[in-house]
Amino acid sequence: MSTAVATRTVLEVEGIDAFYGTIQALRGVSIEVHEGEVVTLIGANGAGKSSTLRAINGVLHPRRGKIRFEGEDITRADPHDIVKRGIAQSPEGRRLFPRMTVVENLEMGAFQRKDKAEIREDMDRVFELFPRLQERRDQKAGTMSGGEQQMCAIGRAMMARPKLLLLDEPSLGLAPIFVERIFEIVEQINKQGVSILLVEQNALMALDAADRGYVLETGRVVLADDAKALMGNEQVRKTYLGED
């Protein structure tokens, strides 16, 4: 678990409603991420976790409510502008460019940047975090294992040099050994000063990695607390941690 001390608010999501056509996905969702924190969103499939991330990254514009990043209103901002401001996402399903090499995929994460020397430094930093990617640097991303692809997706997001990293289901479909490694990496990234908002089906792993958590049900936040408190909450344990 992260040892972050809550300081200034980096991300503030205030009472957002969001829709896909006529289907309402989010109903008055409010969450915060403070500087240096790992915050997790947990809930069943369809609860609104990924929709919350899409609202933050500019793909799904809320009809009501506000989203602020470092005090600036980004509610209606375009995705490329949000990346420039310092929010990057590793999406559910990884969504790499399968016919491009590892290095080419990582370079795509820095496509808006012009600082070539610093981009090279960040590439080295990604390879320090993920030595396996260094070994596979010239391999086409589509030919790698699921765990390796997940590492590449997180590395690509890190190449944008984010202040806030959005992680959507990083352990989905991975072997247990890769799941443990991914969560070790999440902790390392956080210790390097990056705030993290984590959506994760494995609620136990997510709460263990997080400082605070929010429980979503049918597009609403129904519970918000310290991660340890949520792990000890009887309803959370029954519903999300698989206990009787």
Side-chain angles (χ1 to χ4, degrees), residues 84-221:
K84 255 186 199 171
R85 288 169 184 259
I87 300 177
Q89 179 166 345
S90 175
E92 181 180 358
R94 304 181 275 275
R95 299 192 189 173
L96 299 174
F97 298 95
R99 296 184 182 181
M100 292 168 65
T101 66
V102 167
V103 167
E104 288 167 341
N105 270 278
L106 294 177
E107 286 171 345
M108 289 301 292
F111 80 101
Q112 292 194 100
R113 295 172 56 186
K114 306 295 182 195
D115 48 338
K116 289 185 179 179
E118 291 181 358
I119 288 171
R120 280 195 298 272
E121 284 176 18
D122 287 344
M123 183 85 71
D124 291 340
R125 179 182 169 206
V126 168
F127 288 146
E128 281 176 26
L129 281 169
F130 301 107
R132 194 170 297 222
L133 293 184
Q134 169 84 297
E135 297 167 12
R136 304 277 195 272
R137 56 180 297 137
D138 297 320
Q139 186 171 333
K140 286 187 169 52
T143 66
M144 297 195 300
S145 73
E148 290 162 350
Q149 288 185 27
Q150 186 61 63
M151 291 174 179
C152 192
I154 294 173
R156 180 179 60 186
M158 292 301 295
M159 288 299 295
R161 196 170 275 193
K163 300 168 190 171
L164 174 64
L165 177 62
L166 309 180
L167 292 176
D168 195 355
E169 302 286 8
S171 79
L172 190 67
L174 300 190
I177 190 168
F178 270 118
V179 173
E180 286 185 21
R181 182 67 187 131
I182 291 296
F183 275 91
E184 286 169 8
I185 295 296
V186 168
E187 187 178 347
Q188 286 181 45
I189 291 169
N190 179 240
K191 283 179 177 173
Q192 292 176 0
V194 180
S195 305
I196 294 173
L197 181 57
L198 169 68
V199 164
E200 174 55 54
Q201 202 66 39
N202 187 330
L204 186 60
M205 295 285 285
L207 289 170
D208 191 46
D211 297 291
R212 293 185 302 110
Y214 295 86
V215 179
L216 274 72
E217 288 180 8
T218 58
R220 291 186 175 89
V221 174

Side-chain angles (χ1 to χ4, degrees), residues 1-11 32-40 69-70 162-165 186-197 209-212:
M1 179 175 171
S2 167
T3 56
V5 176
T7 51
R8 68 188 180 100
T9 301
V10 175
L11 176 75
E32 287 185 353
V33 179
H34 303 133
E35 191 172 40
E37 273 192 318
V38 178
V39 174
T40 187
F69 180 64
E70 296 190 318
K163 300 168 190 171
L164 174 64
L165 177 62
V186 168
E187 187 178 347
Q188 286 181 45
I189 291 169
N190 179 240
K191 283 179 177 173
Q192 292 176 0
V194 180
S195 305
I196 294 173
L197 181 57
D211 297 291
R212 293 185 302 110

Side-chain angles (χ1 to χ4, degrees), residues 52-100:
T52 301
L53 296 191
R54 289 188 192 108
I56 294 164
N57 69 23
V59 173
L60 178 66
H61 289 311
R63 285 195 195 169
R64 283 180 288 278
K66 294 280 184 194
I67 302 173
R68 296 182 189 87
F69 180 64
E70 296 190 318
E72 302 260 329
D73 188 341
I74 61 166
T75 314
R76 311 298 298 177
D78 293 325
H80 68 272
D81 182 42
I82 288 169
V83 172
K84 255 186 199 171
R85 288 169 184 259
I87 300 177
Q89 179 166 345
S90 175
E92 181 180 358
R94 304 181 275 275
R95 299 192 189 173
L96 299 174
F97 298 95
R99 296 184 182 181
M100 292 168 65

